[in-house]
């Protein structure tokens, strides 16, 4: 089972740096230089976008972290993608792991503002054993979203989404915006 407990720690830092420790141990507003000091070099993925295979507080089964770092505001967003999750054509293992992560986030941040577990009306991929196929055809969605009017431990929103890459493989994506 995937373990995502403690996605965002409530720990605070010394009086020198008042930014709380956020998801995966990253600090909201941290500079690129501060982040590379923690995790090593970052791969450039485009304008203000970087990736790394590790985090200050890495979690099992997460193989990829994507960071949005503004030159003036520092770290604005951190996203993570799990390694491949083996599942069957009805998506049972992927769905189970999605709901485990969703429950962990709900314990820490409260109930999501929006949850979606839907199949496009009229889809021909409606069979129980066609769950992953309907996802691959972009006719199914499994996601949860949190939005905070006042930042929750520096987090302003969270997006949790299941993705399918084949009929027997998927992943979970989670994004935190500061």
């Amino acid at each position: 089972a995937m373990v995502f407990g403690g996605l965002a720690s409530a720990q605070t830092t010394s009086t020198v740096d008042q930014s709380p420790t956020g998801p995966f141990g990253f600090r909201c507003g941290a500079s690129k230089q501060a982040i590379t000091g923690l995790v090593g070099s970052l791969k450039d993925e485009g304008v203000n976008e970087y990736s790394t295979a590790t985090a200050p507080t890495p979690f099992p089964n997460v193989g990829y972290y994507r960071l949005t770092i503004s030159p003036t505001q520092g770290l604005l967003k951190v996203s993570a993608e799990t390694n491949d999750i083996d599942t069957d054509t009805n998506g049972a293992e992927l769905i189970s792991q999605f709901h485990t992560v969703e429950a962990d986030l709900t314990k820490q941040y409260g109930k999501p503002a929006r949850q979606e577990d839907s199949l496009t009306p009229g889809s021909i991929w409606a069979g129980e054993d066609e769950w992953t196929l309907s996802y691959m055809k972009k006719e199914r969605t499994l996601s949860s979203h949190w939005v905070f009017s006042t930042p929750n431990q520096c987090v302003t929103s969270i997006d949790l989404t299941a993705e399918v890459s084949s009929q027997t493989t998927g992943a979970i994506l989670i994004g935190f915006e500061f």
Side-chain angles (χ1 to χ4, degrees), residues 138-159:
K138 309 263 187 259
E139 294 188 10
R140 181 173 296 278
T141 302
L142 178 60
S143 63
S144 291
H145 310 279
W146 289 256
V147 178
F148 308 104
S149 55
T150 303
N152 185 333
Q153 298 172 12
C154 208
V155 175
T156 57
S157 68
I158 304 168
D159 289 313

Side-chain angles (χ1 to χ4, degrees), residues 37-106:
L38 293 172
V39 300
S41 64
L42 301 173
K43 182 179 177 189
D44 191 341
E45 298 286 353
V47 179
N48 299 332
E49 297 286 329
Y50 305 91
S51 65
T52 179
T54 191
T57 309
F59 287 89
N61 203 31
V62 170
Y64 176 82
Y65 300 89
R66 189 172 182 109
L67 311 170
T68 302
I69 308 170
S70 162
T72 56
Q73 295 175 298
L75 184 62
L76 300 175
K77 182 176 182 178
V78 59
S79 302
E81 181 176 341
T82 65
N83 294 318
D84 287 344
I85 297 169
D86 293 329
T87 193
D88 51 21
T89 57
N90 66 10
E93 185 62 24
L94 180 62
I95 294 166
S96 173
Q97 289 195 28
F98 174 90
H99 288 301
T100 298
V101 174
E102 183 184 52
D104 286 348
L105 288 168
T106 298

